[in-house]
Amino acid sequence: MKFGMPIPHAAGFKQAVEGLKALEDAGLDAVTVPEAYTFDAVSRLGYIAARTSRVDLATSILDIDPPVRPSIPMTLAALGPKNIALAAELFEAWQPIFYHPEFADEVFGDALAEGGAKRDACLPDDMTAQR
């Protein structure tokens, strides 16, 4: 059987951590840290890790905020026609290889048009080709 305990997220955090070494020496196996409002569980786990040597560390609650932006910009590196079409349909940017702007339409035009015809409306109208 393993023994664990939660660490409070409010008052007394540093004092509770100071006592962890003695509890660890007495057989404590795990510590959990909640995350509430402005109390960052990940930073607190780092603080505890620096002061203990063998206890398992975990969060009892970890609040992961959604991105501030409505989407995260994504880039796809693609060479084949199906993947180029996928880039044109779903990605903000495309990283082609052997890309020469003066020949882009001749070489990649069909695939770009195929994907562009199905392009997600929430994406910018034009996909960026990054070299």
Side-chain angles (χ1 to χ4, degrees):
M1 178 183 301
K2 289 189 172 193
F3 295 97
M5 65 175 276
I7 297 291
H9 68 274
F13 175 77
K14 286 186 179 181
Q15 293 80 9
V17 172
E18 287 173 12
L20 275 180
K21 187 61 182 157
L23 292 170
E24 180 181 40
D25 292 343
L28 182 69
D29 297 303
V31 173
T32 60
V33 178
E35 182 167 303
Y37 306 108
T38 61
F39 298 98
D40 174 24
V42 175
S43 297
R44 287 175 176 241
L45 288 173
Y47 183 85
I48 294 169
R51 285 156 180 77
T52 59
S53 58
R54 62 162 197 78
V55 295
D56 293 333
L57 304 175
T59 60
S60 51
I61 298 173
L62 184 58
D63 182 29
I64 301 177
D65 292 325
V68 176
R69 301 178 287 211
S71 69
I72 298 172
M74 295 189 304
T75 300
L76 180 65
L79 180 59
K82 292 294 182 189
N83 287 328
I84 293 169
L86 183 68
E89 179 182 352
L90 300 174
F91 291 80
E92 285 82 5
W94 164 50
Q95 291 181 336
I97 190 169
F98 311 125
Y99 184 82
H100 297 282
E102 59 274 11
F103 300 110
D105 192 48
E106 179 183 338
V107 177
F108 305 113
D110 292 343
L112 292 170
E114 177 188 335
K118 299 184 276 183
R119 189 158 180 82
D120 191 324
C122 70
L123 293 172
D125 290 338
D126 294 326
M127 180 188 58
T128 303
Q130 301 174 344
R131 296 193 292 166

